[in-house]
Amino acid sequence: MSSPRPGRADARRNREKLLAVAREVFAAAEGAVSLEAIAREAGVGIGTLYRHFPTREALVEAVYAAELDDVTASAEQLLRERPPEAALRAWMERYAAFVATKRGMLDTLRAGWASGAIATPATRERITGAIGAILDAGTRTGEFRDDVRAGDVTTLLLGTLLATTSDSPKGQVARLFDLVVDALRPR
């Protein structure tokens, strides 16, 4: 079986530019996002957007998948660069950005998952796995308690991010994240 021929370089660049712009636009949006605005911001025509992403769902699914891959992979990268506590705190910020990106896509994601047009990802399991890797490293170094479950930390972080909005007091998310980290330290 032959492998598919790689796309043209300009087509790959356009696709990557569309994904990058869509990630930024969805993260900044409070509601529905215009595909025309994404194409315009990316410097391409709407036809180019539709050649790469034939539906809104296809674009949202691609952005979501790229974000999920990035946020889960960043845990190991951060652990290579920092001690576990600092890695966790930096990862929390990255996770907050992931959740912010989803806010602008939420209606499309929910509708797509419900209709089957968008595959339901194993998001929670992957996020919990990333947190678990950091917690395990912190337990080995003595920075974190050994009785904390990664799923509980996932719930704490998700609760923090769902309970806060862009209208929340400045610094509130950071303070709440600091409380989570404090709760993980050995007693």
Side-chain angles (χ1 to χ4, degrees), residues 22-147:
R23 286 167 96 163
E24 291 173 17
V25 170
F26 284 130
E30 290 293 326
V33 172
S34 156
L35 296 184
E36 291 81 8
I38 292 172
R40 189 172 41 255
E41 181 74 22
V44 300
I46 191 69
T48 298
L49 183 144
Y50 281 118
R51 271 191 297 284
H52 292 284
F53 307 102
T55 64
R56 173 180 290 278
E57 291 81 7
L59 175 61
V60 166
E61 186 173 27
V63 169
Y64 187 88
E67 279 287 301
L68 183 59
D69 289 346
D70 287 354
V71 75
T72 55
S74 69
E76 290 298 328
Q77 177 66 35
L78 288 166
L79 278 171
R80 283 191 294 275
E81 299 168 351
R82 303 166 189 209
E85 186 175 312
L88 179 62
R89 192 60 184 77
W91 188 86
M92 290 172 158
E93 294 298 329
R94 178 63 188 89
Y95 180 60
F98 168 72
V99 171
T101 299
K102 287 187 347 185
R103 289 180 193 215
M105 304 185 292
L106 200 51
D107 291 340
T108 302
L109 284 169
R110 283 183 180 148
W113 289 330
S115 71
I118 298 176
T120 305
T123 303
R124 191 170 186 106
E125 293 83 9
R126 290 182 65 193
I127 295 297
T128 300
I131 292 169
I134 298 172
L135 290 178
D136 289 346
T139 299
R140 285 191 302 273
T141 63
E143 290 176 70
F144 296 140
R145 296 167 36 182
D146 62 3
D147 63 338

